[in-house]
Amino acid sequence: MKKTKLLLMLMTLVGSITIISQTAATYYQTTSLTDSINSPIPLVKSDLKETKSAAELLYEEIGLSGKLNFDAFDQAMIGYESLEFKNKDIITVIDFTLPSTEKRMYVIDLKNKKLLYHTIVSHGRNSGEKYATAFSNRHGSYQSSLGFYSTANTYYGGNGYSLVLDGLEKGINDQAKARAVVIHGADYCSQSVINNTGRLGRSYGCPALPREVTKPIINTIKNGSMVYIYADNQNYMNASRVMKSAKTTLLAQHINDNADSTVRTY
């Protein structure tokens, strides 16, 4: 009888221990799963760095920020790469999105990364009053022409020391030489004219400069350097083969980005 009672007590004790063990195991499993679900997923920090184009890096290195519209510079560098120029050290950008009362001609030394000249410049009389908004390649239009030019020879004419321009874009500015569109000095391009009239005087289509800087600028940019006349003008963008070619090139670069990480330098 005593043996039977002891056996029953032992079986009851073993059963209780089993139940307690199972309950504890279930608790810890549940707690572990809950903790795992509620614990935050560790954040993986990205090592990717912002990449800049060669034009952006050069723009910053020269110190053009706040002086020259980057879009104007960027487009100028597209032509610089796409076209052939005898003198690759110097470029000139004229930004016709600015009024004639502001300095909108930039002569840049790419070799030494310096802004050499920053001055006012006149536009064609039929391109607009204070702003140049209309452009033409047509004879007798008396309008400025946009796009890329190569500087040529100098001469003395009716406007004094002058610089011949060769228009490089067919149908856009290739009549520049025939129209006698040249860089020259003019009395109507001066701060005093701005003060008296609220804008510069205008030319027959030439980029006219203040007399005092005409000769040094011409001597700096003559004989085969690039001149780019810029405006935020969709007609030009649609017509320019240089810009159309650039779009194709950029698309090809985008496709091959992972295959070729070489950064072009100027």
Side-chain angles (χ1 to χ4, degrees):
M1 188 69 177
K2 289 182 179 180
K3 289 182 179 180
T4 302
K5 287 183 178 181
L6 287 172
L7 182 60
L8 287 173
M9 290 175 64
L10 182 61
M11 290 175 65
T12 301
L13 180 61
V14 170
S16 298
I17 292 172
T18 301
I19 292 171
I20 292 170
S21 298
Q22 289 175 345
T23 302
T26 301
Y27 170 79
Y28 285 117
Q29 287 175 359
T30 304
T31 302
S32 177
L33 179 61
T34 303
D35 288 346
S36 177
I37 292 173
N38 292 332
S39 62
I41 298 173
L43 297 176
V44 178
K45 293 183 179 180
S46 174
D47 290 330
L48 294 177
K49 296 181 180 179
E50 182 184 355
T51 57
K52 294 184 179 181
S53 68
E56 287 175 303
L57 294 172
L58 184 59
Y59 178 81
E60 292 177 357
E61 192 171 358
I62 298 172
L64 296 175
S65 181
K67 299 175 183 176
L68 172 60
N69 181 342
F70 176 72
D71 288 341
F73 181 76
D74 193 35
Q75 289 183 21
M77 296 314 297
I78 289 172
Y80 177 85
E81 277 207 321
S82 303
L83 302 169
E84 294 295 327
F85 298 98
K86 181 180 177 181
N87 180 355
K88 299 284 282 187
D89 294 340
I90 304 293
I91 67 169
T92 301
V93 180
I94 296 174
D95 182 1
F96 276 157
T97 64
L98 297 175
S100 65
T101 52
E102 294 186 27
K103 295 179 179 181
R104 53 185 183 170
M105 181 176 185
Y106 309 78
V107 179
I108 303 166
D109 182 342
L110 293 180
K111 183 178 180 180
N112 296 302
K113 299 178 175 57
K114 291 181 180 179
L115 177 61
L116 301 179
Y117 295 97
H118 184 198
T119 186
I120 53 178
V121 59
S122 291
H123 55 256
R125 62 187 297 180
N126 288 339
S127 283
E129 296 284 333
K130 190 174 182 178
Y131 286 88
T133 57
F135 307 97
S136 177
N137 192 39
R138 183 173 53 84
H139 290 257
S141 66
Y142 297 152
Q143 293 181 358
S144 299
S145 301
L146 300 176
F148 293 95
Y149 299 78
S150 179
T151 61
N153 58 291
T154 62
Y155 70 97
Y156 282 91
N159 290 302
Y161 193 50
S162 304
L163 177 62
V164 175
L165 295 175
D166 289 323
L168 302 179
E169 299 199 71
K170 186 174 178 60
I172 297 175
N173 61 20
D174 61 329
Q175 295 301 305
K177 186 178 287 187
R179 292 175 60 202
V181 173
V182 300
I183 293 178
H184 63 78
D187 294 333
Y188 55 75
C189 183
S190 68
Q191 188 60 48
S192 62
V193 172
I194 293 174
N195 295 341
N196 291 330
T197 67
R199 62 168 173 80
L200 285 181
R202 296 161 299 164
S203 68
Y204 285 169
C206 300
L209 302 176
R211 293 283 188 192
E212 64 271 17
V213 296
T214 299
K215 190 169 185 177
I217 286 179
I218 287 178
N219 285 340
T220 299
I221 69 176
K222 66 182 180 180
N223 297 329
S225 73
M226 185 191 84
V227 174
Y228 179 54
I229 300 180
Y230 166 81
D232 186 11
N233 186 281
Q234 195 58 48
N235 289 334
Y236 168 73
M237 295 298 290
N238 293 337
S240 173
R241 293 181 181 178
V242 177
M243 293 305 165
K244 287 180 180 179
S245 174
K247 288 181 181 179
T248 304
T249 302
L250 288 172
L251 178 60
Q253 286 176 348
H254 177 72
I255 293 172
N256 294 317
D257 268 348
N258 293 331
D260 182 7
S261 60
T262 303
V263 177
R264 293 172 297 166
T265 57
Y266 299 112

